[in-house]
Amino acid sequence: MTRPSKSAESGVVAPLGLPHLQTGLSEDDLRESAYGVLVASLVFSRIEVLCEQDRKKEKSSKLLAGLKGKKNRDILPARSQDRNLELLNTIRTQMEVSEAMDLCMRQSLTRCASRTSCSQIDYLQLVLGLIKSTSRSSFPNEKSYVKWKNRQANILEELCCLGHLTEEYATIKHAIGKIRNAREWDLMSPSERTEVLHCIRDSASKIPHMPEVGDERCDYPIGYHLKVRLYENLLSSVFDILEEGQILAEANEILMLVKMTWSILGITQIIHDALYSWVLFKQFVQTEREDLLEYTTIQMKNILADESLYEGGEGLLCTIEWRETVVRLNLVPAVLLSMHIWCNGKLQDYHRHFSQKPSKFKRILTFAMATAVLDLNEFGELTKADSSTKDASRRLKMFVESSAQAAYMLVLDGLDLKSNPGRVHPLTLLANAVKLIADAELTVFCPVLHIWCPEAGMISSTVLYQLFRERLGPFIQGISCLSQDVKLVLAAAHMLDRQLTQLYSFSYHGNSSHQLFKVDLDHYQIGDVSASLILDWSISQHAYILDWIGRAFDLEEWEPLSSLQKHAVSVVEVFRMIEETVDQFFGLNLPVNITHLQALLSLIIHSLDSYLTKMVGQLVEKSHLYPQAPSLTRYEETLVPIPRKKMVELKILDDNSSNALNQLTLSKLCIRLNTLQYIKSQIGILEDGMRKSWGLVRPSVKRRWFNIVEEEAPEILERTMSEESIDELFATTFDGIRNSTTDAIAKHIDFTGTKAVFWDLRENFLYQLYRGGVDKARMDTVLPNVDSVLNQICGSIDDAVRDPLVLSIFHASLEGHLWVLLDGGPSRAFSDSDIALMEDDLRALKDFFVADGEGLPRSTVEREAKFSHQVLSLFSLQTSHIIQMLMTASEHISRRVQSRGHSHRSLDDANTLIRILCHKMDMEASKFLKKQYRLPPSSEYDENPKNESTSSSAIISDLLKRSASFRFPDTGHSSIKSLKKKFQEAW
């Protein structure tokens, strides 16, 4: 494994390898000198650099205008000059040049430019000109002057130092010594100083710029190592010194000014692009701002598009150590190589550097591939890199292997030093840590690496698999029982195995060349050990939960859990137990199969079905809610009151049924409905959670890790069949639970509506409505009681079952209304004038439940009340017509003649027609009933019923006996015989 460079490890990019500065120029010296070059480039380009603080410069303007006139200079517009001065001041601030030094530079360079007619000047000439035109008086004190003069001397020496083995260099150094010597320089006359400066210039022009001894002879641009550094400083002025890494808004304008120094410093376009990329890249390394890397990449495109890439900066030699080899190359390739070396250092241990910053990984990797323009051959010689995909894949394989090994070793070293207060087995900790590495590979790194190296997942998973197997193998061989440590280690190893499987399989999706990578990776055999453990655990949990549900249900009082949670306490506990069991099942992190899933689903089915069965079992038979139908009587007018000889008969409930009904109060029934609705809603949540959990732990289709193409089709078919069977298992289980819950809700709703009307409101509804006459007990006397029931319900019922329950109460109210009309007993008899009132009452009942559009839908109400309207319409028919209908009904009589619900009645039902005649205040009907059925008059019955029980079969038997002596005309005789026969068959 190639170790990353020290610079990459430290996070600092390595230098370009330019020759070292010989004179000890500091960073301050380089910044001020670079700024001076910029000012000089402006001055020699005839751009105004002098101004007064208050922008008044009349005197200096006249003087400079005269100079410009002599030089035939072009005068820039005032606005353009002001902008240039603003930019120059901005650059000065960013380069931390003092105002005093800035003014001194501008004045000295202006004087220097006024003494020459050249529009272009090299850096050596510039420095010599500055020394000549700058005197002590330009500086605030002696110390500043001496410091400035020594800096210029050092710059002169740096410009000529690469030729230090020549005689000319010795002459130059001697002359520079005179400049450094303040006493000697100050005592010289102007002509003597000029002579010294001319000596330096002439000698420098004769220096053959040579490389070090042993290298081939070639020319170097004079002082290139210094000029490159100065240009770097100028480019760095685009960054805000107050906010690290932030590029100024004026950056493009600043760069335009900086480019004016090209002629002085010998910069070309490709050198500019390379150095600007270098400056941006160094700022990115220092600040980790990803936008800077984007800007660097943009600059890189300009470099890579240049055909002179490898010759860029020719003669500007740099020395770089790479792969334990010292490489000498031109400036532009050196910039690319230096950036590439830094990226390589990071990528060789990318887990360490990018796990917390995944967004940077793709950018760095892309950048590294773009800068990979050079390579070393087997002889250590520098060559152009192969740009093929194969070569890129080779480099990335090295990154993947080295990073996986480094990440594993880092984890292993950490385990040796890590405190373990919980005494968790080290292999558990190691497996969990390696799983995190594999997870990072899968989610962060492989999707990026896959672009250039499709088998990256295979490589990393293989490395990690083999490294962990070395530790796990001896542990598995030593297992003798399923202790807690064994369980945790196996679970951790299984999770790691699954993660490595996903990582490995990531590579061959869409990769036709995966067969070239044939490594047999046998899974860690965890399932063979853990299978029986899971089944035993499921069985024990099943028995425990069923026992707990029984005890919790027996203690349930059917009170709301809270003001917001209006379901029972026990159902919350039931689901808590189920969810904890489900979580424990999937939290085992051991291999599971469809048998284990079936055991878990069976546990859930039996648990919830047991609870539902207990709830439904507590309901009383619905038939117990209905009052005993009074004996059939006929209407008879009486002028003189006669003693009542008979009482209305009522059925008596047994104690168990009576106590159960008393316990099933309306409020408790609402809580029970809320509880059922809670079960219904939680079933969906439970199913979704289990499906998702199963999707995460379901067993993968067995396959070898190679020869994928031959086995792919049958494996897909097997997986599809397996998934279909799992879906069917889930659907069957939870649909069955939903159906059971829906059925329980329907039974509770039907029971609650019927109980509310026929039991709770029996006295106020059934026994009060129309009692003693329609006009004396109208519907408006009953509705307040119904309203009270609805208010109680709406305040305590869940919204999801509120409307169905209200509809059930409306349905029961219609049944109660029909009961009054058809089974109201001796106290109810309706005249033709009562029909309109009863129609109004029925409309009032409907309007009450519609509630001005806030209750039940009008269409639903009308549909439910349709039969009640039809029954009322029968009362308005002529009695003779009703009698004729009764005679005809012998051919169509229902076997459910005594059924209470109107859903089982029909308008041509003999049972309905007889009751209409019984309750019709009509003498013709009374005579018919007396002659045919010998029905007693209503006046014989007392209106206050007593508790006696008479079966309905006895009522029908009595009715048939009474009709035996009556004879219809011949035309109706056969119909009546048939009617009697049907009654007898039905009962």
Side-chain angles (χ1 to χ4, degrees):
M1 180 178 70
T2 305
R3 294 188 60 83
S5 64
K6 293 182 179 180
S7 63
E9 290 181 345
S10 64
V12 178
V13 64
L16 282 177
L18 291 168
H20 296 295
L21 295 174
Q22 303 295 320
T23 59
L25 285 170
S26 65
E27 289 299 321
D28 290 340
D29 292 333
L30 292 175
R31 277 200 310 274
E32 291 191 8
S33 299
Y35 179 72
V37 173
L38 177 61
V39 175
S41 67
L42 296 177
V43 170
F44 282 91
S45 297
R46 311 314 179 200
I47 296 175
E48 181 62 67
V49 297
L50 281 176
C51 64
E52 296 179 358
Q53 189 68 22
D54 59 357
R55 308 291 296 170
K56 294 180 180 181
K57 48 183 181 177
E58 287 83 357
K59 183 176 180 180
S60 58
S61 296
K62 292 179 181 179
L63 175 61
L64 294 176
L67 293 174
K68 291 178 183 178
K70 295 178 181 179
K71 303 295 182 181
N72 295 321
R73 300 178 181 178
D74 296 330
I75 300 177
L76 295 175
R79 182 175 299 177
S80 177
Q81 292 183 13
D82 290 344
R83 184 56 181 160
N84 288 330
L85 290 174
E86 290 175 4
L87 291 173
L88 191 59
N89 285 329
T90 299
I91 296 172
R92 178 193 65 77
T93 302
Q94 300 306 313
M95 300 187 73
E96 301 180 79
V97 177
S98 66
E99 293 185 5
M101 180 56 68
D102 176 37
L103 180 60
C104 179
M105 286 184 187
R106 298 190 191 197
Q107 291 174 343
S108 298
L109 287 168
T110 301
R111 287 194 297 270
C112 181
S114 67
R115 296 171 184 172
T116 178
S117 59
C118 298
S119 60
Q120 291 187 351
I121 187 172
D122 64 28
Y123 192 33
L124 179 64
Q125 291 176 317
L126 176 61
V127 175
L128 293 175
L130 272 175
I131 295 175
K132 180 178 180 181
S133 60
T134 305
S135 62
R136 162 68 181 79
S137 60
S138 301
F139 293 87
N141 52 58
E142 179 70 22
K143 183 178 180 180
S144 299
Y145 172 65
V146 171
K147 181 180 179 181
W148 175 86
K149 186 160 61 67
N150 287 335
R151 179 192 301 155
Q152 305 310 311
N154 289 338
I155 291 174
L156 288 174
E157 186 172 344
E158 290 290 350
L159 289 173
C160 304
C161 69
L162 296 183
H164 64 278
L165 300 179
T166 63
E167 294 181 2
E168 288 81 359
Y169 178 71
T171 302
I172 292 173
K173 194 161 186 179
H174 176 73
I176 292 175
K178 294 180 179 181
I179 299 175
R180 294 183 193 278
N181 191 322
R183 180 175 298 178
E184 184 178 0
W185 184 258
D186 290 342
L187 294 176
M188 287 184 184
S189 63
S191 58
E192 291 175 329
R193 293 179 182 177
T194 301
E195 184 179 350
V196 171
L197 298 176
H198 277 293
C199 176
I200 294 173
R201 186 185 62 185
D202 293 341
S203 299
S205 64
K206 299 176 182 178
I207 294 178
H209 301 290
M210 299 168 58
E212 295 182 2
V213 178
D215 290 335
E216 296 181 3
R217 188 181 185 86
C218 66
D219 290 335
Y220 290 141
I222 185 169
Y224 75 89
H225 65 302
L226 174 62
K227 295 177 182 178
V228 169
R229 287 182 171 91
L230 295 177
Y231 197 67
E232 277 189 63
N233 275 274
L234 287 172
L235 292 173
S236 298
S237 65
V238 299
F239 297 107
D240 192 340
I241 60 172
L242 299 179
E243 186 175 352
E244 192 175 28
Q246 178 64 45
I247 296 180
L248 296 173
E250 307 92 335
N252 290 332
E253 294 178 280
I254 291 174
L255 288 176
M256 293 302 296
L257 288 184
V258 169
K259 287 182 179 181
M260 297 182 69
T261 65
W262 286 10
S263 61
I264 298 177
L265 297 178
I267 304 298
T268 62
Q269 182 65 53
I270 192 169
I271 292 177
H272 166 80
D273 291 336
L275 289 179
Y276 191 40
S277 298
W278 178 245
V279 168
L280 291 169
F281 186 75
K282 287 198 299 182
Q283 280 289 324
F284 159 71
V285 172
Q286 182 177 350
T287 63
E288 298 187 348
R289 291 178 58 120
E290 295 186 31
D291 58 332
L292 294 177
L293 186 60
E294 290 186 16
Y295 299 147
T296 307
T297 304
I298 294 173
Q299 288 298 123
M300 281 285 303
K301 292 179 180 178
N302 296 333
I303 301 173
L304 298 174
D306 198 313
E307 296 180 356
S308 63
L309 164 63
Y310 297 97
E311 291 78 27
E314 185 175 7
L316 311 183
L317 286 186
C318 302
T319 304
I320 298 176
E321 184 178 351
W322 185 30
R323 299 180 189 172
E324 301 179 356
T325 301
V326 177
V327 179
R328 295 174 64 85
L329 65 172
N330 292 329
L331 177 65
V332 175
V335 170
L336 298 178
L337 182 59
S338 293
M339 293 189 291
H340 181 70
I341 290 173
W342 184 89
C343 293
N344 274 14
K346 296 291 184 182
L347 294 173
Q348 286 173 6
D349 192 0
Y350 53 69
H351 279 278
R352 175 184 174 188
H353 297 292
F354 301 111
S355 290
Q356 302 301 321
K357 304 167 186 175
S359 62
K360 285 178 56 179
F361 176 69
K362 183 175 183 180
R363 298 180 187 275
I364 293 294
L365 183 60
T366 304
F367 192 80
M369 303 307 292
T371 55
V373 296
L374 297 171
D375 201 356
L376 287 176
N377 61 21
E378 57 184 352
F379 305 107
E381 298 172 344
L382 196 65
T383 60
K384 292 183 180 180
D386 185 359
S387 60
S388 65
T389 304
K390 182 178 180 181
D391 189 67
S393 178
R394 175 185 61 81
R395 289 194 296 271
L396 290 181
K397 288 178 182 178
M398 178 191 69
F399 294 153
V400 174
E401 290 179 357
S402 62
S403 293
Q405 292 175 8
Y408 181 84
M409 295 307 298
L410 182 64
V411 167
L412 201 58
D413 293 342
L415 289 178
D416 295 336
L417 303 174
K418 195 173 186 179
S419 62
N420 188 8
R423 305 303 300 170
V424 179
H425 196 283
L427 272 181
T428 302
L429 299 176
L430 181 60
N432 292 336
V434 176
K435 179 179 176 295
L436 293 177
I437 298 173
D439 181 66
E441 283 280 354
L442 180 64
T443 59
V444 177
F445 302 116
C446 273
V448 179
L449 293 166
H450 190 77
I451 300 173
W452 295 279
C453 181
E455 60 271 31
M458 292 181 177
I459 298 171
S460 56
S461 61
T462 303
V463 171
L464 294 173
Y465 183 91
Q466 292 174 344
L467 289 172
F468 183 74
R469 189 179 186 83
E470 294 173 0
R471 299 269 178 162
L472 180 64
F475 178 84
I476 291 180
Q477 293 177 0
I479 292 177
S480 58
C481 63
L482 289 171
S483 64
Q484 183 67 12
D485 277 347
V486 170
K487 181 179 177 181
L488 292 177
V489 170
L490 292 180
H494 174 62
M495 297 303 295
L496 174 59
D497 187 279
R498 287 175 58 85
Q499 194 68 17
L500 292 176
T501 300
Q502 291 184 357
L503 177 59
Y504 191 96
S505 62
F506 182 87
S507 295
Y508 54 71
H509 290 306
N511 179 22
S512 60
S513 62
H514 59 261
Q515 288 189 340
L516 300 176
F517 195 78
K518 296 182 179 180
V519 179
D520 190 3
L521 295 178
D522 293 329
H523 291 283
Y524 308 133
Q525 300 301 319
I526 309 300
D528 296 341
V529 180
S530 61
S532 59
L533 173 66
I534 298 174
L535 288 177
D536 292 342
W537 173 85
S538 298
I539 293 171
S540 64
Q541 285 294 109
H542 190 181
Y544 171 73
I545 292 178
L546 286 178
D547 178 68
W548 188 94
I549 288 175
R551 289 186 283 110
F553 193 87
D554 292 340
L555 296 173
E556 181 60 68
E557 297 181 353
W558 302 108
E559 296 294 335
L561 185 62
S562 67
S563 59
L564 297 178
Q565 297 174 304
K566 298 179 180 180
H567 45 266
V569 176
S570 58
V571 74
V572 177
E573 290 300 306
V574 169
F575 274 97
R576 182 184 64 81
M577 293 292 294
I578 292 174
E579 289 166 359
E580 285 183 357
T581 302
V582 171
D583 291 341
Q584 290 174 22
F585 175 85
F586 291 111
L588 291 173
N589 294 329
L590 293 172
V592 291
N593 53 40
I594 193 170
T595 302
H596 297 132
L597 181 61
Q598 286 174 329
L600 180 63
L601 291 175
S602 176
L603 181 154
I604 295 172
I605 290 174
H606 287 89
S607 299
L608 291 176
D609 188 63
S610 172
Y611 191 84
L612 291 172
T613 301
K614 290 177 181 295
M615 285 191 69
V616 174
Q618 286 186 338
L619 297 180
V620 178
E621 285 293 333
K622 186 179 174 183
S623 60
H624 294 332
L625 298 173
Y626 295 103
Q628 178 69 46
S631 298
L632 296 178
T633 61
R634 56 186 174 80
Y635 171 75
E636 183 181 60
E637 290 184 355
T638 57
L639 299 176
V640 179
I642 62 175
R644 309 286 183 172
K645 298 179 181 179
K646 298 181 180 181
M647 303 294 294
V648 175
E649 300 165 346
L650 295 179
K651 62 182 177 182
I652 301 175
L653 297 179
D654 60 85
D655 291 339
N656 291 334
S657 297
S658 179
N659 291 335
L661 280 173
N662 291 332
Q663 289 292 326
L664 293 171
T665 63
L666 194 58
S667 60
K668 292 185 182 296
L669 286 170
C670 288
I671 300 304
R672 294 168 71 93
L673 275 169
N674 293 341
T675 301
L676 291 170
Q677 182 61 33
Y678 178 82
I679 293 175
K680 190 173 183 179
S681 62
Q682 289 299 113
I683 288 172
I685 297 174
L686 180 63
E687 180 183 8
D688 291 342
M690 288 188 64
R691 283 181 179 271
K692 290 178 182 178
S693 298
W694 178 256
L696 296 175
V697 305
R698 66 175 181 265
S700 58
V701 178
K702 293 183 178 179
R703 64 166 153 228
R704 293 179 61 81
W705 290 75
F706 50 87
N707 296 331
I708 306 296
V709 171
E710 290 79 358
E711 298 179 2
E712 191 169 21
E715 286 175 5
I716 290 176
L717 178 60
E718 181 181 349
R719 184 185 298 108
T720 302
M721 294 175 61
S722 176
E723 291 176 353
E724 288 178 353
S725 62
I726 294 297
D727 287 340
E728 183 179 356
L729 180 59
F730 272 111
T732 301
T733 300
F734 286 99
D735 287 349
I737 298 173
R738 287 189 186 92
N739 292 338
S740 298
T741 307
T742 301
D743 182 62
I745 290 174
K747 289 180 179 178
H748 275 73
I749 287 176
D750 186 41
F751 179 85
T752 304
T754 303
K755 181 179 182 294
V757 174
F758 283 89
W759 187 266
D760 297 339
L761 296 179
R762 178 176 295 185
E763 293 292 335
N764 296 323
F765 194 135
L766 302 183
Y767 296 162
Q768 177 179 329
L769 184 65
Y770 304 153
R771 192 178 185 88
V774 173
D775 57 342
K776 296 178 181 179
R778 297 285 299 279
M779 183 65 73
D780 56 1
T781 64
V782 174
L783 289 180
N785 299 304
V786 179
D787 186 52
S788 177
V789 169
L790 292 178
N791 286 336
Q792 183 180 356
I793 288 174
C794 293
S796 57
I797 199 69
D798 187 276
D799 290 345
V801 291
R802 181 190 60 194
D803 287 353
L805 181 56
V806 172
L807 179 60
S808 176
I809 294 174
F810 176 59
H811 181 88
S813 299
L814 291 174
E815 278 193 295
H817 186 247
L818 283 175
W819 188 92
V820 170
L821 297 180
L822 301 178
D823 291 315
S827 63
R828 273 104 169 179
F830 310 119
S831 66
D832 292 341
S833 61
D834 291 333
I835 305 304
L837 298 178
M838 292 190 293
E839 287 281 1
D840 289 341
D841 284 348
L842 181 58
R843 282 192 291 271
L845 180 63
K846 293 190 298 180
D847 292 341
F848 175 78
F849 278 92
V850 171
D852 295 328
E854 296 182 1
L856 297 175
R858 172 66 70 176
S859 58
T860 301
V861 169
E862 293 293 344
R863 183 177 64 251
E864 291 291 324
K866 181 179 179 181
F867 186 78
S868 296
H869 280 291
Q870 291 172 340
V871 170
L872 282 174
S873 67
L874 289 177
F875 276 96
S876 62
L877 296 176
Q878 293 294 327
T879 301
S880 59
H881 185 66
I882 298 175
I883 293 173
Q884 185 61 43
M885 291 175 65
L886 178 60
M887 295 168 59
T888 306
S890 61
E891 302 296 330
H892 308 286
I893 188 170
S894 169
R895 298 182 64 88
R896 295 174 175 259
V897 292
Q898 286 297 118
S899 176
R900 299 300 188 271
H902 78 255
S903 60
H904 301 293
R905 297 181 188 270
S906 63
L907 296 177
D908 57 355
D909 180 13
N911 184 44
T912 302
L913 296 170
I914 288 175
R915 280 167 167 74
I916 290 176
L917 292 173
C918 289
H919 291 84
K920 197 169 175 61
M921 190 181 292
D922 181 84
M923 293 307 298
E924 183 182 354
S926 178
K927 290 179 182 180
F928 171 79
L929 294 173
K930 178 180 179 180
K931 292 178 181 180
Q932 176 62 26
Y933 297 106
R934 296 182 179 179
L935 292 182
S938 58
S939 58
E940 293 184 5
Y941 284 83
D942 190 357
E943 295 183 350
N944 298 315
K946 65 179 182 178
N947 292 334
E948 294 182 6
S949 176
T950 302
S951 66
S952 58
S953 60
I955 296 175
I956 297 299
S957 177
D958 180 63
L959 185 147
L960 292 174
K961 289 178 182 178
R962 292 174 181 176
S963 66
S965 62
F966 181 82
R967 291 185 176 275
F968 275 98
D970 293 339
T971 57
H973 184 68
S974 60
S975 297
I976 293 299
K977 283 185 177 180
S978 176
L979 175 63
K980 289 182 180 180
K981 183 179 180 181
K982 295 291 185 179
F983 269 109
Q984 290 170 341
E985 289 176 352
W987 296 95

